[in-house]
């Protein structure tokens, strides 16, 4: 039985219309006579989606009992018995109720496909398993229901159901997605414009990659070699020479001229692994092309032009960028060169750009990796075998086996030549060939004991022996040197890869990097020295090991980094071949030092900003919040002292109660301000402890009328880790500001909800609102939006609130209230780790 086909409607977020599009597809198929049924569709009480179910056959769902409740899931057995041509299965990433046939719905779909039933399904981009971490960073919500990417990629058709963030938010505000009581929270949390834009970009990029994979697969199946310019792909041919950086930048500019342009840098090396390219330069060029958004590729091919064209056609490239040849004029007698050959054979569908550069016509001059030097003992053994070996062999052959024959004698001498090449390299092998040929002529070629050769055949034999000996010695020596070079370059590549990774991640500290240098090169000590000017003494920026060098003159090895910095090593003198990798280490050490200092400067700047914010909040609170309780106390005392009024006992008690409440509030505020003052001077830190918002928020509402605020603080909220006093003052200022600007008769909503590792307290008013351009200004000191005549205060309430919120590890920002008004969002942490971290940061800031 043929496997069924899977069609998926992919969306960026809930509400874009995936289910509606799927049901519309079902109606179209039924009109064409296709047997189509609804296996499982969830309309979520959306009227327009529910209407689309009319006229469609629905398979009854299976009921399951779980923890005292009754749940419904797709009845896979019923669908298999019905055996329709097409089944509609909504929400592919759904997790089935325990006790179901399969744990996940996509597994149910796999059964239907295996039974030959075509399936039309839906899924959102945030449910793809590989994007879980990315979606969590964007939205703050971890998706528990996921589907493996491979399941979606295997779909025969993927249709993107797209909608702009603005249109989706309008659909949400009109109540077409969620019920009215959930609209405000949804628009303010998951359905923020930034979240929707990021999710939409993820969906578009994922589908674009899938389309590109479809195109590549189609071209491969149909053996399409012609270039299809679906988008600009520019291949940059790199030789490892210094002109590569110019080519990469030029190709990037070409790619930026068209939408969706892509740069692919490729270096082609020969199959024998031998290359004249500079490894250091290739590392630099690889980093450059990746920083500019391109990709780097390494291809093996003996015919460079053919390999380059094969690669370009394989990736469906539209342009090739090459550098003008660095060969000198006389070198063109050996051929037209790579650039001319590629341009001639590229064909009409592939453009070739030859870019001029500063190295044109100067010759290649590329540094070639040198093999490791042979040890002294190997060189001695090589010369011994190459010179003394033939003499000893001659003594043995003339004394013990004089009748071996000239052919066998030559093979024995050739063996010594190969041994000399393996031990000592090319020169001992050549010496062995020369000595062996002379001894063969003197002792074994008639007439013996003379250099004359009577038989011409022996002359040819001796000549062949010399030629074979020299050739074999050259090949053996070259192979031996290349083996050492390969081993060395492999070690160097591992080290350079380590350094490149650290440059990108910024993980290794300066001390750890210097320790790595000491271990790599087996040195006693390593130090990074610097000075401010040429005449100033050297100072040590970092060192490892005993007795580091105090100046470059005291070191066994030093690598200058400009005029005023040097990496110094003590222990032994390094060969020149090691200095290439050492230079890379030195450059990384300078980067690590700069990164370390920048981090310290950033921490210092953060401390200064924190201190300035604390001082600002302290001053604002003193000049603003102290007035309210003082005014109440003053009014009550003045009333009690009035001689022209006879107060009843009840009135006197109320006035005294007002004085006491004002004094308590003043005492609480002064205590908080004193704590802020001690925090700024470094004598105390915020008391971060576990608190409940249902206890803190009511205490902050003493300054507003009782009927002006509506509280919605669930008891199930997690505990927050804050300083209760500072949080109370922040909430009080925000609520008082909302009540002051809210429309007459409208109550201010104070609601809280949990989101990831934080709790959001939302203060919603139905006032005139604030334009987007002014939302950041209302948190600045002495700012009163609109300066209305009835406004009171000096415009410090929100500045104080934001200062206190940030002091306890939270944040405060403003958003529009759907339907009109302003919503203040106060975020505080719910995890003790964040609370302790904030407390330590505050302590470090005030101590310094």
């Amino acid at each position: 039985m043929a496997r069924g086909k899977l069609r998926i409607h992919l969306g960026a977020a809930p509400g874009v219309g995936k289910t509606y599009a799927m049901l519309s597809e079902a109606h179209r198929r039924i009109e064409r006579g296709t047997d189509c049924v609804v296996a499982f569709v969830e309309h979520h009480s959306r009227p327009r989606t529910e209407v689309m179910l009319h006229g469609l056959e629905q398979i009854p769902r299976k009921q399951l009992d779980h923890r005292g409740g009754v749940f419904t899931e797709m009845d896979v057995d019923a669908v298999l018995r019905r055996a329709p041509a097409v089944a509609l299965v909504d929400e592919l990433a759904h997790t089935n109720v325990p006790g179901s046939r399969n744990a996940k719905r996509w597994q149910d779909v796999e059964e239907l496909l295996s039974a030959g039933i075509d399936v039309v399904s839906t899924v959102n981009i945030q449910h793809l398993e590989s994007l879980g971490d990315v979606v969590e960073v964007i939205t703050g919500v971890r998706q528990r229901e996921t589907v493996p990417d491979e399941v979606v990629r295997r779909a025969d058709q993927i249709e993107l159901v797209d909608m702009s963030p603005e249109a989706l938010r309008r659909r949400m505000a009109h109540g077409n997605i969620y019920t009215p009581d959930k609209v405000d929270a949804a628009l303010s949390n998951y359905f923020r414009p930034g979240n929707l834009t990021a999710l939409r970009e993820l969906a578009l990029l994922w589908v674009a990659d899938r389309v590109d994979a479809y195109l590549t697969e189609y071209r491969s199946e149909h053996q399409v070699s012609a270039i299809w310019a679906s988008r600009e792909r520019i291949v940059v041919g790199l030789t490892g020479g210094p002109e590569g950086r110019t080519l990469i930048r030029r190709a990037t500019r070409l790619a930026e001229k068209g939408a969706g342009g892509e740069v692919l840098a490729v270096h082609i090396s020969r199959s024998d692994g031998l290359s004249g390219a500079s490894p250091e330069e290739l590392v630099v060029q690889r980093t450059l092309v990746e920083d500019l958004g391109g990709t780097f590729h390494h291809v093996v091919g003996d015919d460079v032009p053919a390999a380059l064209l094969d690669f370009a056609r394989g990736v469906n490239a539209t342009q090739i960028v090459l550098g003008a040849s660095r060969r000198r004029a006389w070198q063109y007698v050996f051929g037209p060169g790579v650039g001319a050959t590629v341009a001639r054979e590229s064909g009409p569908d592939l453009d070739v750009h030859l870019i001029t550069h500063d190295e044109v016509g100067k010759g290649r001059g590329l540094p070639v990796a040198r093999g490791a030097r042979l040890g002294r003992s190997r060189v001695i053994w090589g010369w011994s075998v190459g010179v003394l070996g033939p003499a000893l062999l001659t003594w043995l052959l003339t004394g013990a086996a004089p009748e071996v024959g000239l052919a066998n004698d030559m093979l024995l001498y050739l063996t010594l030549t190969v041994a000399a090449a393996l031990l000592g390299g090319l020169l001992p092998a050549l010496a062995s060939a020369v000595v062996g040929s002379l001894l063969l002529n003197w002792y074994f070629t008639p007439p013996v004991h003379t250099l004359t050769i009577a038989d011409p055949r022996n002359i040819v034999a001796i000549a062949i022996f010399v030629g074979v000996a020299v050739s074999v010695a050259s090949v053996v020596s070259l192979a031996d040197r290349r083996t050492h070079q390969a081993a060395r370059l492999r070690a160097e590549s591992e080290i350079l890869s380590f350094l490149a990774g650290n440059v990108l991640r910024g993980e290794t500290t300066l001390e750890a990097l210097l320790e790595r240098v000491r271990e790599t090169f087996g040195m006693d000590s390593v130090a990074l020295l610097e000075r401010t000017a040429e005449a100033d003494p050297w100072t040590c920026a970092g060192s490892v090991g005993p007795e580091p060098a105090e100046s470059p003159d005291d070191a066994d090895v030093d690598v200058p980094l400009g005029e005023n910095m040097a990496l110094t090593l003590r222990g032994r003198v390094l060969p020149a071949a090691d200095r290439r990798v050492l230079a890379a280490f030195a450059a990384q050490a300078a980067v690590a030092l700069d990164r370390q200092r920048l981090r310290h400067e950033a921490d210092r700047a953060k401390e200064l900003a924190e201190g300035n914010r604390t001082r600002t909040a302290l001053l604002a609170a003193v000049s603003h919040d102290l007035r309210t309780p003082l005014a109440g106390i003053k009014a009550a005392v003045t009333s009690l002292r009035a001689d022209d009024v006879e107060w009843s006992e009840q009135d006197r008690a109320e006035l005294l109660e007002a004085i006491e409440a004002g004094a308590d509030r003043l005492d609480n505020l002064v205590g908080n301000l004193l704590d802020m003052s001690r925090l700024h001077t470094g004598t105390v830190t915020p008391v971060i402890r576990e608190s409940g918002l249902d206890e803190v928020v009511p205490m902050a509402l003493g300054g507003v009328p009782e009927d002006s605020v509506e509280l919605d603080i669930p008891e199930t909220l997690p505990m927050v880790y804050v300083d209760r006093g500072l949080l109370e003052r922040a909430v009080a200022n925000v609520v008082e500001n909302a009540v002051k600007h809210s429309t007459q008769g409208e109550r201010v909503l104070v609601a809280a909800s949990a989101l990831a590792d934080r709790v959001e307290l939302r203060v919603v008013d139905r006032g005139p609102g604030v334009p987007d351009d002014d939302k950041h200004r209302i948190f600045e000191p002495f700012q009163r939006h609109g300066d209305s005549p009835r406004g009171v205060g000096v415009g410090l309430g929100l500045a104080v609130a934001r200062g206190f919120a940030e002091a306890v590890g939270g944040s405060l920002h403003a958003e529009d209230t759907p339907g009109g008004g302003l919503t203040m969002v106060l975020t505080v942490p719910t995890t003790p780790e964040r609370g302790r971290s904030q407390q330590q940061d505050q302590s470090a800031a005030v101590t310094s």
Side-chain angles (χ1 to χ4, degrees):
M1 180 181 297
R3 179 181 173 86
K5 296 184 180 298
L6 175 61
R7 175 170 181 167
I8 293 178
H9 292 269
L10 177 68
V16 296
K18 303 179 302 300
T19 304
Y20 191 93
M22 178 180 67
L23 295 174
S24 299
E25 174 68 18
H27 282 287
R28 288 193 295 270
R29 296 196 180 200
I30 290 177
E31 290 175 358
R32 295 195 299 265
T34 304
D35 181 16
C36 183
V37 301
V38 175
F40 188 97
V41 168
E42 184 61 67
H43 55 73
H44 297 290
S45 300
R46 298 169 186 169
R48 297 185 179 182
T49 305
E50 189 174 1
V51 169
M52 294 296 295
L53 287 170
H54 296 169
L56 299 178
E57 178 186 350
Q58 300 185 46
I59 303 296
R61 300 184 183 182
K62 184 178 182 179
Q63 294 187 347
L64 297 170
D65 295 329
H66 180 64
R67 295 184 177 179
V70 179
F71 301 88
T72 60
E73 294 289 359
M74 179 176 66
D75 193 337
V76 180
D77 292 326
V79 178
L80 292 175
R81 288 194 299 269
R82 172 63 175 77
V86 179
L88 307 184
V89 182
D90 205 3
E91 299 179 354
L92 185 64
H94 172 73
T95 301
N96 293 330
V97 175
S100 301
R101 182 187 185 99
N102 296 300
K104 303 288 290 187
R105 184 164 293 166
W106 65 264
Q107 296 172 327
D108 296 338
V109 169
E110 287 294 320
E111 287 198 37
L112 300 182
L113 295 173
S114 299
I117 300 175
D118 293 346
V119 176
V120 182
S121 187
T122 65
V123 71
N124 282 329
I125 193 68
Q126 65 264 28
H127 293 298
L128 294 183
E129 194 168 295
S130 66
L131 299 178
D133 295 339
V134 179
V135 173
E136 183 178 10
V137 172
I138 295 173
T139 65
V141 179
R142 180 66 179 181
Q143 296 294 334
R144 303 300 178 187
E145 294 187 332
T146 60
V147 58
D149 289 46
E150 185 59 27
V151 174
V152 182
R153 289 186 183 277
R154 285 201 307 263
D156 298 275
Q157 297 182 56
I158 298 177
E159 180 176 335
L160 178 64
V161 183
D162 189 30
M163 179 175 288
S164 68
E166 294 77 11
L168 183 57
R169 284 173 59 86
R170 284 197 300 270
R171 178 181 287 185
M172 174 72 71
H174 294 159
N176 294 333
I177 301 177
Y178 292 158
T179 56
D181 59 317
K182 298 180 180 179
V183 170
D184 288 351
L187 290 175
S188 302
N189 290 281
Y190 193 88
F191 286 82
R192 295 174 180 173
N195 291 0
L196 297 179
T197 301
L199 292 174
R200 187 188 189 199
E201 183 177 10
L202 279 178
L204 292 172
L205 290 175
W206 195 92
V207 172
D209 288 341
R210 183 57 181 157
V211 171
D212 197 41
Y214 275 133
L215 180 59
T216 302
E217 182 179 352
Y218 178 87
R219 286 168 51 85
S220 176
E221 290 178 354
H222 294 77
Q223 298 181 352
V224 178
S225 59
I227 302 298
W228 288 2
S230 54
R231 61 171 171 171
E232 291 292 340
R233 279 192 178 89
I234 302 175
V235 171
V236 185
L238 301 179
T239 64
E243 78 283 356
R245 307 182 200 182
T246 301
L247 303 184
I248 292 170
R249 294 188 179 97
R250 177 60 174 158
T252 302
R253 292 196 296 271
L254 288 174
E256 291 174 350
K257 292 181 179 180
E262 184 179 357
V263 175
L264 301 91
V266 58
H267 171 68
I268 300 175
S269 60
R270 300 188 183 278
S271 58
D272 56 8
L274 308 180
S275 173
S278 168
E280 299 96 329
E281 185 63 29
L282 282 177
V283 169
V284 172
Q285 293 173 13
R286 178 172 193 154
T287 303
L288 176 61
V289 71
E290 291 176 348
D291 288 343
L292 294 176
T295 56
F296 184 89
H297 305 268
H298 192 103
V299 176
V300 177
D302 292 325
D303 188 343
V304 174
L308 183 61
L309 289 171
D310 289 343
F311 175 82
R313 292 192 174 99
V315 298
N316 200 26
T318 57
Q319 302 179 54
I320 295 179
V321 173
L322 298 174
S325 179
R326 287 183 285 114
R327 296 192 301 173
R328 301 187 187 277
W330 62 268
Q331 292 178 307
Y332 281 96
V333 299
F334 299 106
V338 174
T341 304
V342 171
R344 185 181 66 248
E345 299 179 0
S346 60
D349 53 355
L350 188 58
D351 297 334
V352 178
H353 302 265
L354 289 179
I355 308 300
T356 58
H357 49 84
D358 295 337
E359 305 297 322
V360 174
K362 294 183 179 180
R364 294 193 176 274
L366 295 177
V368 180
R370 297 176 59 188
R373 291 184 178 179
L374 297 174
R376 184 176 181 182
S377 61
R378 286 192 57 181
V379 174
I380 294 175
W381 274 105
W383 282 102
S384 299
V385 172
V387 177
L388 301 180
L392 180 60
L393 179 61
T394 302
W395 178 76
L396 291 175
L397 291 176
T398 55
E403 301 299 332
V404 171
L406 182 61
N408 292 327
D409 292 339
M410 288 183 178
L411 291 176
L412 292 174
Y413 281 104
L414 184 60
T415 303
L416 291 178
T417 301
V418 173
L422 288 173
L423 291 173
L426 182 60
L427 292 179
L430 294 178
S432 176
V434 173
V435 173
S437 63
L438 292 175
L439 292 175
L440 279 171
N441 185 9
W442 186 268
Y443 287 100
F444 302 102
T445 304
V448 296
H449 303 303
T450 65
L451 294 179
T452 302
I453 302 176
D455 191 347
R457 291 177 297 179
N458 291 338
I459 296 177
V460 175
I462 293 294
I464 293 175
F465 166 76
V466 174
V468 171
V470 171
S471 300
V472 171
S474 300
V475 171
V476 171
S477 177
L478 179 62
D480 186 57
R481 286 189 290 112
R482 293 308 188 191
T483 301
H484 285 88
Q485 287 178 358
R488 180 178 184 82
L489 291 175
R490 178 179 179 182
E492 290 183 2
S493 65
E494 292 177 353
I495 294 173
L496 293 174
S497 175
F498 163 78
L499 291 177
N502 284 304
V503 169
L504 296 175
R505 296 188 298 270
E507 296 175 350
T508 303
T509 62
L510 176 60
E511 289 71 18
L513 185 63
L514 296 180
E515 181 63 30
R516 181 65 181 263
V517 174
R518 190 174 72 89
E519 293 177 354
T520 300
F521 297 99
M523 307 301 285
D524 296 333
S525 63
V526 180
L528 183 64
L529 305 180
E530 63 176 350
R531 60 185 178 184
T532 55
E534 187 174 354
D536 294 337
W538 292 93
T539 59
C540 182
S543 64
V544 293
E547 300 181 359
E550 298 180 356
S551 70
D553 296 335
D554 300 334
D556 294 316
V557 180
D558 70 283
V559 180
L561 294 168
E563 297 180 354
N564 299 320
M565 185 176 290
L567 182 67
T568 60
L569 298 86
R570 272 186 168 180
R572 63 187 178 91
V573 177
L574 293 178
D578 288 339
R579 290 181 176 268
R580 179 173 52 192
V581 176
L582 184 59
F585 269 112
Q588 174 63 2
V591 172
L593 179 61
D594 290 340
R595 187 189 303 120
Q596 180 175 297
R597 288 177 174 171
L598 288 174
R599 187 181 298 113
H600 291 163
E601 291 178 4
D603 293 341
R604 178 59 179 168
K606 181 180 178 181
E607 294 169 4
L608 293 175
E610 185 70 26
N612 183 64
R613 185 172 62 248
T614 303
R615 286 193 298 270
T616 302
L618 180 62
L619 175 62
V622 170
S623 63
H624 179 265
D625 289 346
L626 286 177
R627 294 182 178 182
T628 302
L630 282 175
I633 293 173
K634 176 66 175 177
V637 171
T638 301
S639 300
L640 287 174
R641 295 189 61 186
D643 297 333
D644 56 344
V645 179
E646 290 291 337
W647 301 102
S648 65
E649 289 298 325
Q650 182 179 356
D651 293 337
R652 293 174 63 87
E654 290 179 356
L655 290 173
L656 290 173
E657 183 179 355
I659 294 173
E660 182 179 9
D664 290 341
R665 187 177 178 189
L666 186 61
D667 177 71
N668 187 33
L669 177 58
V670 170
N672 290 336
L673 294 177
L674 290 176
D675 286 342
M676 291 285 290
S677 177
R678 289 193 295 269
L679 170 65
H680 177 62
T681 57
T683 58
V684 71
T685 60
V687 182
I688 304 297
R689 61 186 179 184
E690 188 179 62
S691 304
L693 279 184
D694 56 345
E695 300 175 357
V696 176
V697 174
M699 296 293 295
L701 304 182
V704 298
E706 295 183 359
D707 59 346
S708 63
V709 177
E710 177 184 351
L711 280 179
D712 183 12
I713 311 294
E715 297 180 356
T716 58
L717 283 177
M719 304 297 284
V720 296
Y721 285 80
V722 295
D723 185 301
R724 294 188 57 173
L726 300 181
L727 179 60
E728 180 182 332
R729 292 307 309 148
V731 175
N733 284 358
V734 173
V735 174
E736 291 173 5
N737 182 77
V739 171
K740 180 173 63 177
H741 292 91
S742 187
T743 304
Q744 188 70 24
E746 291 284 351
R747 302 176 70 185
V748 173
L749 173 62
V750 181
S753 60
L755 186 63
D757 59 346
R758 60 190 185 274
V759 168
E760 285 190 350
L761 183 70
R762 311 183 72 83
V763 181
V764 183
D765 69 62
R766 295 291 179 177
V770 176
D772 291 339
D773 295 339
D774 293 335
K775 282 188 173 63
H776 68 283
R777 296 180 61 250
I778 62 178
F779 295 102
E780 298 177 2
F782 306 106
Q783 296 295 324
R784 293 171 54 216
H785 177 66
D787 288 328
S788 58
R790 69 180 183 89
V792 295
V794 292
L796 288 173
L798 294 181
V800 172
R802 173 171 276 188
F804 286 165
E806 293 178 352
V808 300
S811 63
L812 178 65
H813 66 275
E815 297 178 354
D816 289 331
T817 300
L822 191 68
T823 298
M824 291 291 178
V825 182
L826 176 62
T827 304
V828 290
T830 61
T831 58
E833 291 76 10
R834 287 189 62 187
R836 295 192 191 100
S837 175
Q838 180 66 25
Q839 186 175 4
Q840 293 170 359
D841 292 344
Q842 293 286 340
S843 177
V846 299
T847 300
S848 60

